């Protein structure tokens, strides 16, 4: 029996500007979980505030070869996390990887947009392709914008949670199972979280007004996946992730430094030990 849990991370790697694997890996390590990075894209920086980064797209053949090699070596994972893929061609390769580990829990963050629109390098064709991954995921972690993009509906900021519940049910029809939806507003809370598990709907609000930083979603994902594989419930995992991200933001707001450098997680990680 392995002394630690092991997670495969299919996500992008940024050299500067804390995001993606750069955020998730240290969080998982501090939480006592082995992080196994399988890069889907290499970037000199993340894409927010650094003009045009140097980018290398990892071919899908690499992802497939990783899966085959792991199977040959009898390597198993306690969970597979799928994050930023970058291009449509990667979808088939990720499905191939997941199918090689049919009994492994899959967590998908369908990263493609925010604030009501696609990120600059994505469009409707990417959302259409991303839908193919939904039936393979045990849990999805979209923000509210990505829920609209996945369902093909026009984005609207709404505090009416009956409408958000309808979005959840529409995602279920597309093959999704349980889901955590971030950036859901309600009344004075602009960044609440919806937990939709076994067709039960729960809203978790936050009355505290905090700033926005690059990499916040990745920090949330890292803590959520860590807690989940350590045996915590979805609700407990969400609560721990939310608390950790809020603490990181409070720590970040104590300093004056360029926002493009991302969420300041280093000083907060020590509090987890």
């Amino acid at each position: 029996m392995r002394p630690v849990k092991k997670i495969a991370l299919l996500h992008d790697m940024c050299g500067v500007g804390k995001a993606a694997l750069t955020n998730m890996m240290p969080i998982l390590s501090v939480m006592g979980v082995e992080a196994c990075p399988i890069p889907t894209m290499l970037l000199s920086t993340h894409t927010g505030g650094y003009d045009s980064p140097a980018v290398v797209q990892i071919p899908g053949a690499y992802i497939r070869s990783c899966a085959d090699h792991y199977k040959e070596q009898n390597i198993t994972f306690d969970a597979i996390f799928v994050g930023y893929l970058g291009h449509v061609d990667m979808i088939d390769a990720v499905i191939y990887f997941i199918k090689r580990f049919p009994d492994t829990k899959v967590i998908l963050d369908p990263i493609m947009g925010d604030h009501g629109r696609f990120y600059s390098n994505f469009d409707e064709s990417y959302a259409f392709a991303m839908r193919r991954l939904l039936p393979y995921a045990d849990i999805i972690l979209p923000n509210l914008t990505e829920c609209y993009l996945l369902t093909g509906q026009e984005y609207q900021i709404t505090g009416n949670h009956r409408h958000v519940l309808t979005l959840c049910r529409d995602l279920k029809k597309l093959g999704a199972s349980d889901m955590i939806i971030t950036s859901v507003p309600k009344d004075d809370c602009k960044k609440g979280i919806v937990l939709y598990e076994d067709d039960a709907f729960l809203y978790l609000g936050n009355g505290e007004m905090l700033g926005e930083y690059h990499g916040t979603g990745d920090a949330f994902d890292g803590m959520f996946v860590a807690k989940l594989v350590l045996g915590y419930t979805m609700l407990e995992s969400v609560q721990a992730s939310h608390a950790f991200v809020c603490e990181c933001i409070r720590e970040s707001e104590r300093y004056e430094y360029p926002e493009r450098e991302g969420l300041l997680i280093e000083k907060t990680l020590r509090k987890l030990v």
Side-chain angles (χ1 to χ4, degrees):
M1 181 177 178
R2 288 198 306 264
V4 297
K5 301 290 186 179
K6 185 194 296 280
I7 298 179
L9 301 175
L10 284 71
H11 208 355
D12 66 305
M13 172 67 81
C14 303
V16 170
K18 293 183 290 294
L21 289 173
T22 313
N23 270 5
M24 291 190 71
M25 291 180 66
I27 294 170
L28 287 162
S29 295
V30 170
M31 292 298 295
V33 177
E34 181 180 352
C36 304
I38 303 164
T40 56
M41 225 172 172
L42 301 177
L43 302 93
S44 56
T45 68
H46 62 67
T47 55
Y50 287 102
D51 294 327
S52 298
V55 177
V56 173
Q57 291 188 349
I58 302 299
Y62 172 77
I63 304 299
R64 292 183 177 90
S65 296
C66 285
D68 292 340
H69 185 212
Y70 298 149
K71 291 297 289 187
E72 290 167 2
Q73 296 301 311
N74 297 315
I75 294 170
T76 59
F77 302 100
D78 296 287
I80 298 170
F81 174 85
V82 179
Y84 188 93
L85 303 181
H87 52 102
V88 171
D89 296 342
M90 187 61 75
I91 304 292
D92 284 330
V94 170
I95 291 174
Y96 179 88
F97 189 101
I98 292 170
K99 284 184 173 180
R100 294 290 272 158
F101 303 92
D103 300 321
T104 305
K105 183 181 290 292
V106 177
I107 300 99
L108 167 67
D109 187 342
I111 301 167
M112 67 179 86
D114 202 358
H115 302 294
R117 59 185 182 274
F118 284 103
Y119 293 135
S120 59
N121 51 326
F122 296 134
D123 57 22
E124 287 80 4
S125 64
Y126 188 82
F128 183 80
M130 183 61 71
R131 291 177 199 166
R132 295 176 51 216
L133 279 175
L134 296 181
Y136 296 96
D138 297 282
I139 302 170
I140 63 172
L141 302 168
N143 59 35
L144 183 60
T145 293
E146 288 156 350
C147 288
Y148 282 103
L149 298 178
L150 284 168
T151 57
Q153 300 180 38
E154 184 177 352
Y155 176 78
Q156 57 179 297
I157 299 176
T158 175
N160 184 346
H161 287 173
R162 289 184 180 178
H163 187 68
V164 180
L165 176 59
T166 299
L167 280 174
C168 292
R169 290 171 175 167
D170 289 342
L171 287 168
K172 289 272 286 189
K173 292 175 184 176
L174 291 172
S177 184
D178 295 334
M179 58 196 79
I180 307 296
I181 305 174
T182 56
S183 300
V184 180
K186 182 181 180 182
D187 302 328
D188 61 341
C189 175
K190 296 183 179 180
K191 292 289 183 181
I193 300 170
V194 163
L195 168 60
Y196 188 74
E197 181 181 16
D198 297 328
D199 296 321
F201 184 98
L202 176 64
Y203 180 80
L204 304 173
N206 177 25
E208 187 176 5
M209 300 298 291
L210 297 171
E212 293 191 15
Y213 290 86
H214 289 290
T216 301
D218 299 302
F220 182 95
D221 290 350
M223 180 59 72
F224 177 80
V225 175
K227 284 288 188 178
L228 202 66
V229 300
L230 291 173
Y232 291 84
T233 66
M234 277 183 62
L235 176 58
E236 291 169 335
S237 301
V238 168
Q239 291 172 326
S241 303
H242 178 68
F244 175 71
V245 167
C246 287
E247 185 61 27
C248 287
I249 293 174
R250 293 187 203 102
E251 185 67 29
S252 300
E253 290 178 338
R254 293 180 55 206
Y255 303 90
E256 292 185 8
Y257 72 103
E259 191 277 336
R260 68 181 187 175
E261 292 187 16
L263 193 65
L264 195 64
I265 68 170
E266 290 82 359
K267 292 180 180 295
T268 311
L269 283 173
R270 296 180 297 184
K271 300 179 181 180
L272 299 177
V273 179

